[in-house]
Amino acid sequence: MRALLVVNPAATTTSARVRDVLIHALASEVKLEAVTTEYRGHARDLGRRAAESDDIDLVVALGGDGTVNEVANGLLHAGPDPSLPRLAVVPGGSTNVFARALGLPNDAVEATGAILDALRDGSERAVGLGLASGTPGTDDEAVPDRWFTFCAGFGFVGGVVGRVEQARERGKRSTHALYLRQVVRQFLGDPHRGEGTLTLEQPGEDPVTGLVLSMVCNTAPWTYLGNRGVYGVPGASFDTALDVLGLTRLSVPTATRYATQLLSSTPDKGLHGKHAVTLHDLTDFTLHSKVPLPLQMDGDHLGLRTSVTFTGVRRALRVIV
């Protein structure tokens, strides 16, 4: 088996020594080419190269969720295809939602061992992913399609991710405390949380209006705080299409209530109440906003949008697990 290892040298939880150990371990089982990313989007380019090659069977992403997202977008640049190289993920970021949602250990060395065992056993899984596109007839029509592996957030959640990225550009480390601080700052500074600007439209259904925030997931947990999984939409799964969580109100009392629910969420119980909207297993829908709002996918801030069309694609990519 020929494999391409895509290494993010800026991965927050793996040192150069650990990366060398992982490379040697993988090279003992497969014919390995290791490439270190040098610019934003490089992992996507490498994934596309692998998809277009005739001799790469496996792409291993060593990094955080951003690296995994780029590799997946490269592999799927021409759409899903059973003949595409399989994907394996070695967690190296601060949160590693996709890898952990697959059931992999959060430690890079242990995860590598699990991947090697899976390769020997021929164990893999076809996972469903989400695709976000520009909506025809809107100002965002020409925005390129982009896949996400576990979550997209339009509005409030996108603003939080944007604030985190700005803090990291100023030299702050990506920690759970940093995210929590930016949640509070986004809440205090969000001019739209008092009146929902978002509307969800899906074929054959009445629109859902007045949403203050929206979160689109294809797996649960949605994220992690340390070892604690946060289940915003417990029904979301790699085996179905997309789930949506929306809130129609975000005052201080409702925000406090829903934050408490998130912190105590379980695989069977997520956010609930009269201001919470949950939709399960959606294949096609569009989110429109009256004003430009921030969009994030897999923890990557993508700027402001007024409309995004989402598609849930089952069995989009084969993953070693």
Side-chain angles (χ1 to χ4, degrees):
M1 177 180 291
R2 298 187 66 87
L4 172 66
L5 174 65
V6 179
V7 180
N8 180 0
T12 55
T13 59
T14 54
S15 65
R17 180 175 295 178
V18 169
R19 290 194 290 271
D20 287 343
V21 170
L22 301 183
I23 289 171
H24 285 299
L26 290 167
S28 68
E29 297 289 335
V30 298
K31 296 179 180 179
L32 187 70
E33 176 189 1
V35 180
T36 299
T37 58
E38 299 176 355
Y39 54 86
R40 187 165 187 166
H42 194 182
R44 180 196 61 233
D45 295 341
L46 292 169
R48 178 167 183 162
R49 188 191 106 190
E52 294 174 342
S53 75
D54 295 325
D55 61 351
I56 295 179
D57 307 297
L58 172 69
V59 180
V60 183
L62 170 53
D65 288 310
T67 303
V68 176
N69 178 279
E70 286 195 13
V71 170
N73 272 276
L75 287 170
L76 294 168
H77 75 280
D81 188 321
S83 66
L84 287 173
R86 289 167 289 175
L87 173 68
V89 179
V90 178
S94 58
T95 309
N96 308 306
V97 178
F98 183 68
R100 296 167 80 176
L102 287 169
L104 289 169
N106 197 37
D107 177 79
V109 175
E110 292 183 8
T112 300
I115 290 169
L116 292 174
D117 288 342
L119 287 171
R120 297 184 191 108
D121 296 337
S123 176
E124 63 180 57
R125 179 180 181 183
V127 300
L129 302 179
L131 179 66
S133 310
T135 305
T138 70
D139 292 341
D140 296 315
E141 180 176 10
V143 173
D145 294 352
R146 178 151 175 167
W147 296 86
F148 58 94
T149 63
F150 64 90
C151 180
F154 193 26
F156 182 87
V157 179
V160 172
V161 171
R163 288 176 179 271
V164 169
E165 287 195 3
Q166 291 174 357
R168 294 186 65 182
E169 289 172 359
R170 297 193 300 268
K172 301 291 186 180
R173 292 185 64 251
S174 179
T175 63
H176 299 299
L178 174 63
Y179 275 88
L180 292 175
R181 288 197 300 271
Q182 303 315 314
V183 168
V184 174
R185 289 172 180 169
Q186 180 67 23
F187 177 80
L188 296 175
D190 193 329
H192 306 297
R193 64 180 175 84
E195 180 180 357
T197 68
L198 288 165
T199 296
L200 186 150
E201 296 180 350
Q202 56 176 319
E205 302 289 342
D206 293 334
V208 180
T209 61
L211 297 176
V212 177
L213 64 79
S214 61
M215 187 172 67
V216 183
C217 300
N218 65 316
T219 189
W222 154 55
T223 190
Y224 288 84
L225 288 175
N227 292 322
R228 179 194 293 270
V230 179
Y231 296 85
V233 195
S237 169
F238 285 132
D239 297 322
T240 59
L242 299 175
D243 282 24
V244 180
L245 168 67
L247 295 181
T248 59
R249 189 172 183 180
L250 204 59
S251 63
V252 172
T254 57
T256 301
R257 180 164 62 253
Y258 289 129
T260 302
Q261 289 182 9
L262 278 177
L263 292 174
S264 60
S265 60
T266 69
D268 301 314
K269 189 174 183 180
L271 265 62
H272 56 277
K274 65 179 181 179
H275 299 298
V277 176
T278 56
L279 301 169
H280 178 61
D281 197 17
L282 303 186
T283 302
D284 298 284
F285 62 95
T286 298
L287 285 167
H288 299 284
S289 175
K290 299 175 184 177
V291 298
L293 293 178
L295 174 69
Q296 71 87 16
M297 292 184 200
D298 291 348
D300 188 10
H301 184 260
L302 301 179
L304 300 178
R305 305 281 176 85
T306 56
S307 185
V308 186
T309 294
F310 291 93
T311 305
V313 182
R314 296 179 178 87
R315 302 180 63 84
L317 195 62
R318 295 182 303 161
V319 182
I320 299 297
V321 66

